[in-house]
Amino acid sequence: TTNNLCKDTSEATVFILRNPKADIASNTTVGCYNEQQFEFTDISTFDVLNSDRKWYLENKIVGNDSQFSYDFRKPGYQEVVLVESNSVGCTDTARLEILVNESPIANFRINNRVQCLLDNNFEFYNISTGNGLIKEGLWLPEAGSAAFEEDLIYNYLSEGNYDVTLTVYNDSGCSDEITKSVIIYPTPEANLMSYDICTLEPVTFNPNGSISSGKINTYDWNMGEGTFLNDTAPKFEYTIPGDYTVKLKLISDKLCE
């Protein structure tokens, strides 16, 4: 209204928008540190379509996608923060607490990872670490064989390369596994024949030696009367009548005997 009592009226429409309602969905809120599969989804609601989002994890902005996966850098309680803002600057914040349980660290020691088939005796010692570690672990020394023990003593029936796997667990249900290889080399075999011979009659002793892989490097003969020979198939004669026990030791290129 002016001093002359002239007046006019103006009208304007004011839209009062509700703040966006920030909300987070997660596939899980508890997980293991070494098996993280956390997936977060923005399920916020808005009065307007255009909006802006920011995800904060471990005190930093990690993205603005509507859905993403994340691996936390350390175990413990973690907070997921989602800040939503609409086109007119209204904001809302959602928070979600996540528990990342510590995982054990699997490890084991082997007394001797390379052995010969004959009398092989593998000793596997569980030296895994971690809080809440369960002493017993799941051992898989070869296909079709399993044992739930703290340590394992195992004998293989065939030569070859084997992968040995140990899986350990803690009281939070988290696990870890490690695989190491062992090698079993074949043992050479000899098949001596019996001989009926006369004194001073030279005879060639055939070792009939065999090995499934590799080769035989050494032939150690004990002729039974004090003579030791290293020939593959020695020729020998006895000077005194009697019964003699001939022994042969074969040694492979892998020192198996």
Side-chain angles (χ1 to χ4, degrees):
T1 303
T2 68
N3 292 334
N4 297 323
L5 300 180
C6 298
K7 62 181 180 180
D8 191 17
T9 300
S10 178
E11 293 182 355
T13 301
V14 177
F15 294 95
I16 308 300
L17 300 176
R18 286 176 296 186
N19 288 343
K21 178 60 178 176
D23 200 3
I24 304 170
S26 175
N27 64 326
T28 181
T29 57
V30 179
C32 297
Y33 177 70
N34 66 337
E35 300 172 347
Q36 296 187 48
Q37 296 179 342
F38 292 104
E39 296 179 0
F40 305 107
T41 303
D42 180 0
I43 56 172
S44 306
T45 54
F46 306 87
D47 282 345
V48 292
L49 294 178
N50 53 327
S51 64
D52 179 62
R53 71 177 65 84
K54 289 184 177 64
W55 294 95
Y56 293 83
L57 285 85
E58 300 184 297
N59 299 317
K60 64 180 180 179
I61 299 175
V62 296
N64 58 4
D65 294 331
S66 62
Q67 184 176 17
F68 73 104
S69 300
Y70 190 81
D71 289 343
F72 292 92
R73 295 176 296 176
K74 59 183 180 180
Y77 284 97
Q78 306 287 345
E79 186 177 53
V80 180
V81 179
L82 171 62
V83 178
E84 293 281 2
S85 59
N86 61 21
S87 58
V88 296
C90 301
T91 64
D92 190 32
T93 301
R95 301 177 185 273
L96 179 66
E97 188 176 69
I98 297 295
L99 174 58
V100 183
N101 285 314
E102 181 179 344
S103 298
I105 300 175
N107 196 11
F108 64 91
R109 178 172 58 85
I110 309 172
N111 63 327
N112 184 2
R113 63 175 297 271
V114 178
Q115 298 186 29
C116 299
L117 178 61
L118 182 64
D119 299 327
N120 75 86
N121 186 64
F122 285 87
E123 300 173 5
F124 303 111
Y125 297 99
N126 185 347
I127 55 173
S128 304
T129 57
N131 293 326
L133 180 70
I134 298 174
K135 290 183 178 180
E136 293 78 12
L138 177 61
W139 295 94
L140 301 175
E142 61 178 315
S145 181
F148 199 77
E149 305 283 350
E150 180 176 359
D151 303 315
L152 180 67
I153 296 177
Y154 197 78
N155 308 111
Y156 291 90
L157 300 179
S158 302
E159 69 267 15
N161 295 352
Y162 295 89
D163 287 334
V164 181
T165 299
L166 170 64
T167 304
V168 294
Y169 307 85
N170 63 17
D171 53 12
S172 297
C174 298
S175 64
D176 189 34
E177 72 175 34
I178 186 172
T179 299
K180 297 183 180 183
S181 62
V182 297
I183 301 174
I184 298 94
Y185 288 124
T187 300
E189 297 182 359
N191 185 18
L192 294 181
M193 298 175 55
S194 296
Y195 295 90
D196 293 326
I197 57 177
C198 300
T199 56
L200 302 179
E201 178 185 344
V203 62
T204 299
F205 288 85
N206 190 339
N208 294 315
S210 64
I211 190 169
S212 59
S213 63
K215 62 181 181 178
I216 300 173
N217 274 1
T218 304
Y219 296 78
D220 285 339
W221 293 88
N222 179 350
M223 307 311 295
E225 42 67 88
T227 300
F228 297 89
L229 303 173
N230 298 114
D231 298 330
T232 301
K235 181 179 289 187
F236 188 76
E237 63 182 40
Y238 290 90
T239 60
I240 300 174
D243 293 331
Y244 298 94
T245 300
V246 178
K247 297 179 180 180
L248 170 61
K249 180 169 70 174
L250 304 178
I251 304 176
S252 73
D253 55 342
K254 303 301 183 182
L255 300 181
C256 295
E257 60 183 59

